Structure formats: structure tokens, C-alpha cells
Amino acid sequence: VPDVSGLCGTVPSGIYLPFPTAPGSYLDKKYASLFPNGDGTNFDDGWIFATGTSNAAAHVAGCAAILQQAARESLDRRLTPGEMKAVLTRTGRRASRGRNAMGVRADQDPEGACGAGLVDLAAAVAELENL
């Protein structure tokens, strides 16, 4: 179970998040075709639409970087890993429906498929005032 989750897609394809890739690369060719069998992009355009933990990790990492920068600007210090986790889990948006690939319900907070919920960066930055 993750502590927090990034954006995820819907069944059956989970096509939701745009990601750059090398134009004409294996991934570009693999996922290119018309929806619902593919992501709706061209095989040589350098974009794929996908979902999952690999894709969500980049979004959560980006949110953590922005949160760390906000902490340096507003608190004049870096957040510890424990503080970062606490802020992100306190401010996550709770999932109310859906299941992961293993059948775990998303709404079993915080042990569900989405952990403490989807990252809410605006709420996390606002939460810095409470540290």
C-alpha cells in the first residue's frame, strides 16, 4: 500500500497521464493507436498516455520537490523525510471508489489501494504553516 498516490487512470485502459518519450521509440510505437486499444497518439510523436505506479511516482516526486522548495522559502529550512511524509499523508485527497489491480478497495483509508489518498499539492503547501 502506498503512503500517498499520484493520479491514476480508469479501467480498462487507465489512459490518463501524458508522458514524453523518444519519438519513434519502443514505447511510442507500442502504445500508439486509436483509443481504446492505444493512447490515441501517433507512433512517432514522442508522447504516450499511461498510468500506474511508475508514472505516478514522477508526479509525486515533483510534488515533493515543490513542497521542499516551499518549505525553504516559508520556513527557511528543509523538511525531513518524516515531515514530508506527514504533510503529504495529512493532506491527501481521500479516494472514495475503485480498486487496484489486486482488488484492494481504494476507500479503505489508509490501508486501501491509494494509501492516504491522492496528493493535493496546494493543501500540502498550505499545511507548512502548521509545522
Side-chain angles (χ1 to χ4, degrees):
V1 173
D3 292 320
V4 292
S5 297
L7 292 173
C8 53
T10 58
V11 175
S13 299
I15 295 170
Y16 196 71
L17 303 172
F19 287 92
T21 188
S25 68
Y26 169 77
L27 291 176
D28 203 5
K29 291 176 184 176
K30 177 181 178 184
Y31 291 108
S33 68
L34 296 177
F35 184 82
N37 297 321
D39 67 5
T41 64
N42 293 325
F43 70 92
D44 61 353
D45 64 358
W47 287 96
I48 62 171
F49 280 74
T51 190
T53 56
S54 297
N55 297 334
H59 286 262
V60 174
C63 289
I66 292 169
L67 186 58
Q68 192 67 268
Q69 179 182 0
R72 288 184 61 107
E73 291 172 359
S74 65
L75 305 175
D76 197 30
R77 68 177 181 88
R78 294 179 57 85
L79 297 178
T80 67
E83 289 172 324
M84 177 70 71
K85 179 179 176 179
V87 169
L88 290 173
T89 57
R90 273 197 308 265
T91 59
R93 289 187 186 189
R94 305 297 185 243
S96 60
R97 60 188 177 137
R99 296 178 184 274
N100 69 9
M102 283 68 70
V104 177
R105 289 190 359 230
D107 63 351
Q108 295 174 332
D109 175 54
E111 299 300 321
C114 294
L118 302 174
V119 171
D120 183 335
L121 182 57
V125 170
E127 179 72 11
L128 292 175
E129 296 176 11
N130 296 322
L131 288 181

